[in-house]
Amino acid sequence: MVAIRQPLRILCTVLSAMALDAGAAGAVPSTLRLARLDGVPDQRIGSEILKVAYARLGIELQFVAVPALRSLLESSEGRLDGEVQRILNVEVQYPTLLAVRPSINYIEPAAFVKKLDFKVQGWPSIAAYQVGIVRGVGSSEAGTQGMARVTAVPSMEALMRMVAAERVDVAVNDRLSGMLILQQLGLQGEVHPLDPPLQRIPLYHFLHMRHAELLPRIEETLRGMAASGELEQIRSRAAKRIAEDYERRALP
C-alpha cells in the first residue's frame, strides 16, 4: 500500500490540474463538512487554522463532531468531506483520504500519571506499565502497538478518570489536550504529565479524494501561511482562547 500511495497522490494532482485547465474551477464546493474529533481540544486549533485558509478560497467550513474511530469511516466513505487533522499514516490506512501538505498542527503524546515517576525516553518507557489510550486515536494506537497491557476507552475524560482512579498506571494523551481535560474535570492536582513528551507528531488536514481538485489551491495557501509565520500565530492565539475556555468550564 505504501508503494502505491505516492503514485495515487500524483495522479490525483495531475487530474485536478487538468480539470482546472478545462475550466472546471466552478465545480469547487462553496461549503465543506469536516470531521472534528469529539472532545479533543487540539482539534479546535486545527479548525481555526483551516477556517482562515479556506476563507481565502471562498469556501465555508462546517465541523461535525464525531468519535475518533467513526470519523475515519465517515470521511473515508465520503459522507463527510475530510478530516480537520490526523497523523500522516492515515493516508496509508485510508486510501480515499488525501493528505494536504504542509502539516497544520502537531501533538505531543505524553505519559500522564498519578503516583508513578520514571524517566521518559520515548514509547518504550511505558511498555512495562498498564497503559490507557483513547480508542481511534492513531498516534496512541501506533505508539503502544505490541505492548502487553493496553486498555482503550472512548474519550479523553474517561481516560483521565481512569488514571486518577488508578485503574491504569499511565494514560497516553496529547499534552495540551490532556492538561485542559484535567482542568475541566478538576483533576489537575491528582494527575500530571511526565516530561519530556513521548514524541512530537505533525498533523495533516485530509480531504476525500473527490475533492482532489482543491489540493493545489489549499496547499499553496497553507504554504504561504506557514512561510509568513501566520499559521503559528493562529495556533498560539487559538491555544490561548481554548485554555481560557476550559478554565471557565472547570468543575468547582
Side-chain angles (χ1 to χ4, degrees):
M1 183 69 74
V2 176
I4 68 171
R5 187 63 196 155
Q6 188 62 20
L8 176 59
R9 178 181 171 82
I10 293 171
L11 176 60
C12 289
T13 302
V14 170
L15 290 176
S16 70
M18 290 171 63
L20 288 174
D21 287 343
V28 173
S30 60
T31 303
L32 291 174
R33 297 174 70 241
L34 300 179
R36 182 168 68 184
L37 303 194
D38 193 19
V40 180
D42 67 81
Q43 290 270 320
R44 290 173 56 186
I45 295 175
S47 300
E48 291 299 312
I49 292 168
L50 292 179
K51 279 196 293 187
V52 173
Y54 275 102
R56 292 175 184 173
L57 302 181
I59 297 173
E60 180 183 355
L61 297 183
Q62 296 176 357
F63 301 106
V64 181
V66 284
L69 186 57
R70 186 182 138 208
S71 77
L72 287 168
L73 296 177
E74 294 293 307
S75 58
S76 67
E77 294 176 6
R79 288 183 290 275
L80 293 175
D81 296 305
E83 297 272 336
V84 168
Q85 59 184 32
R86 286 282 191 165
I87 62 173
L88 189 58
N89 196 50
V90 161
E91 70 175 358
V92 176
Q93 297 172 310
Y94 296 87
T96 59
L97 293 176
L98 304 176
V100 177
R101 289 153 168 93
S103 66
I104 63 167
N105 199 4
Y106 61 85
I107 54 171
E108 295 181 317
F112 285 80
V113 298
K114 184 171 184 178
K115 295 179 180 177
L116 279 179
D117 187 16
F118 56 89
K119 187 175 183 179
V120 177
Q121 293 181 311
W123 292 97
S125 308
I126 65 173
Y129 301 103
Q130 176 70 47
V131 177
I133 64 173
V134 177
R135 185 179 301 114
V137 175
S139 56
S140 297
E141 291 177 343
T144 58
Q145 188 174 9
M147 294 186 187
R149 296 182 295 160
V150 179
T151 301
V153 298
S155 68
M156 288 187 176
E157 290 84 355
L159 180 63
M160 291 310 191
R161 289 190 176 103
M162 183 176 286
V163 72
E166 298 184 80
R167 287 187 284 146
V168 294
D169 302 316
V170 176
V172 175
N173 212 337
D174 169 57
R175 195 180 195 285
L176 171 63
S177 294
M179 294 291 288
L180 294 175
I181 295 296
L182 287 175
Q183 184 175 338
Q184 177 184 327
L185 297 176
L187 294 175
Q188 66 269 39
E190 297 183 47
V191 178
H192 64 278
L194 297 178
D195 289 320
L198 296 164
Q199 188 179 3
R200 180 164 173 160
I201 305 173
L203 299 175
Y204 295 81
H205 170 43
F206 282 82
L207 285 172
H208 188 270
M209 64 190 305
R210 71 170 175 271
H211 297 303
E213 77 280 356
L214 278 176
L215 274 178
R217 299 178 64 194
I218 190 60
E219 288 187 334
E220 181 181 6
T221 300
L222 289 171
R223 282 195 299 269
M225 292 171 64
S228 69
E230 183 182 10
L231 194 150
E232 184 56 39
Q233 291 170 5
I234 296 172
R235 187 185 191 281
S236 297
R237 290 196 300 268
K240 182 179 179 181
R241 284 197 303 270
I242 292 167
E244 292 170 348
D245 182 36
Y246 271 79
E247 185 175 357
R248 289 192 296 268
R249 291 161 50 185
L251 295 177

